[in-house]
Amino acid sequence: MKALGFIEITGVTAALDALDIMCKSANVELVTWERKLGGRLVTIIVEGDISAVNAAVENATKLAIKKPAAHLVLANPHPETRRIVDMSAARLINKDKK
């Protein structure tokens, strides 16, 4: 099972900057993203090997244009946690199909 990395940051531009840093600094892929409060708070979720996710989240936390409100690495997410992330990703995919 792949590890999950979460960055919660204010603003869509800052979130895209954090995602770019994460993807360039380690072998991780975007799983999904969530916008709350009209895009003022954005959560980016990536996945990959635990070492890659750790490096990606650490680098984004240090280098993003804004300091993240929160960050988290789940090395071995519980199936229920993974189910919630997958539900978010499915909503994103369904929006793309429309």
Side-chain angles (χ1 to χ4, degrees):
M1 180 176 286
K2 294 185 175 187
L4 294 173
F6 300 78
I7 292 276
E8 192 166 71
I9 198 164
T10 56
V12 173
T13 302
L16 290 174
D17 177 53
L19 175 62
D20 188 60
I21 290 167
M22 287 193 285
C23 290
K24 287 178 178 175
S25 65
N27 187 21
V28 296
E29 293 182 3
L30 175 66
V31 176
T32 190
W33 68 306
E34 292 281 338
R35 292 181 305 155
K36 300 296 179 195
L37 303 173
R40 291 186 300 253
L41 191 59
V42 181
T43 304
I44 300 288
I45 305 173
V46 297
E47 72 178 353
D49 293 334
I50 183 64
S51 59
V53 171
N54 272 326
V57 170
E58 182 178 323
N59 286 337
T61 300
K62 290 179 185 175
L63 301 173
I65 60 175
K66 288 187 177 181
K67 184 177 191 252
H71 62 277
L72 170 69
V73 173
L74 289 175
N76 188 19
H78 187 277
E80 285 300 307
T81 303
R82 187 64 208 211
R83 186 175 69 81
I84 290 172
V85 170
D86 290 343
M87 284 174 24
S88 172
R91 282 195 306 266
L92 187 64
I93 291 167
N94 288 336
K95 284 182 183 177
D96 286 344
K97 287 181 181 178
K98 289 182 180 179

